[in-house]
Amino acid sequence: MNTPDTLLRVQDLTVTFATPRGSVRAVDGLGFAVRRGETLGIVGESGSGKSVTSLAVMGLHTGASVSGSVMLDGRELTGLAERELNRLRGRKMAMIFQDPLSSLHPYYTVGEQIAEHHRVHYGSGRRAARARAVEALAEVGIPEPRRRARDHPHQFSGGMRQRVMIAMALACEPDLLIADEPTTALDVTVQAQILELIARIQEERQLAVIMITHDLGVVARVAHEVLVMYGGRAVEQADVDTLFAAPAHPYTRALLDSLPRLDDDGDEPLRAITGSPPSLLTPPPGCAFAPRCSQLTGAAAEKRTRCESERPALDGPAGHPAACHFPTYEGVNS
């Protein structure tokens, strides 16, 4: 729903890649909204379309067909000229990529890279841009920022490189931050520090955040709303408390069941989701999750036929739609 404080609104987003084996629809009819000062968590297994969605919002896809509407602060981004998108990237919206080492240039110091970012968008002089780079490094908690600004990326630890990426993303004070797996490969202590850092800056600036992750623990900690993706589509949307307390889609429930629990016995095996995600080259005609759905084990033939042949729409109670023919709300099968 579009409200006055909605910063980003995505409707019917579709991203298709042409391959030698045929077209791959990596994102199929996706829609969501992000409000100022809030975090939308996008979760799902690898290949579900999370990162493809984020790149589409940023306008970074090359060689892909992108359709649908991406509205940032009332401005349509789909189809916008590259020159106009370049003015918005960094200034109005910014992104933290998965691997900070490969996202930072090894030849230039981190201070030079942040300063260049500031010069491009504000036209500031070199001295002012360098001062802003030092200030940005200090804001993200890097000790001795003036000295560390002269260091190269390889001289930082993984957690510190991630802080540098956050400093670069926020140096021009954007309204929207997309964090694509920002805590991947970090230990638990550093992960907590990075999440706390993003939350602090979000509160200070009323920043809208999209947190892309496969880690439901991260989602529970930082998100206000959650979008669950599977096979390039949204299968469930809800506020974080509702989703964790009463998941309506079997896939969401399976993701939650696969988490380790404190009340399990020490020898209790983790609950895996059987099977594999669907091929996006030849997607199934019905529900993409049907071959892996535990609800269909021993189900009546009529129910199984419907799930395997009829594609479910994202529908249901206001604020908690699910793309399932037989969703479960509050423990009651509908």
Side-chain angles (χ1 to χ4, degrees), residues 212-223:
I212 296 172
T213 181
H214 63 275
D215 189 337
L216 287 167
V218 170
V219 170
R221 180 169 183 165
V222 305

Side-chain angles (χ1 to χ4, degrees), residues 173-221:
E173 301 187 0
D175 299 320
L176 173 68
L177 176 67
I178 301 176
D180 187 1
E181 301 278 9
T183 57
T184 297
L186 300 179
D187 63 54
V188 176
T189 302
V190 177
Q191 179 186 96
Q193 293 172 353
I194 295 299
L195 295 178
E196 288 171 3
L197 171 62
I198 294 174
R200 175 177 61 78
I201 295 173
Q202 179 182 36
E203 185 176 359
E204 292 172 354
R205 302 186 184 179
Q206 279 297 289
L207 190 68
V209 177
I210 298 177
M211 181 69 67
I212 296 172
T213 181
H214 63 275
D215 189 337
L216 287 167
V218 170
V219 170
R221 180 169 183 165

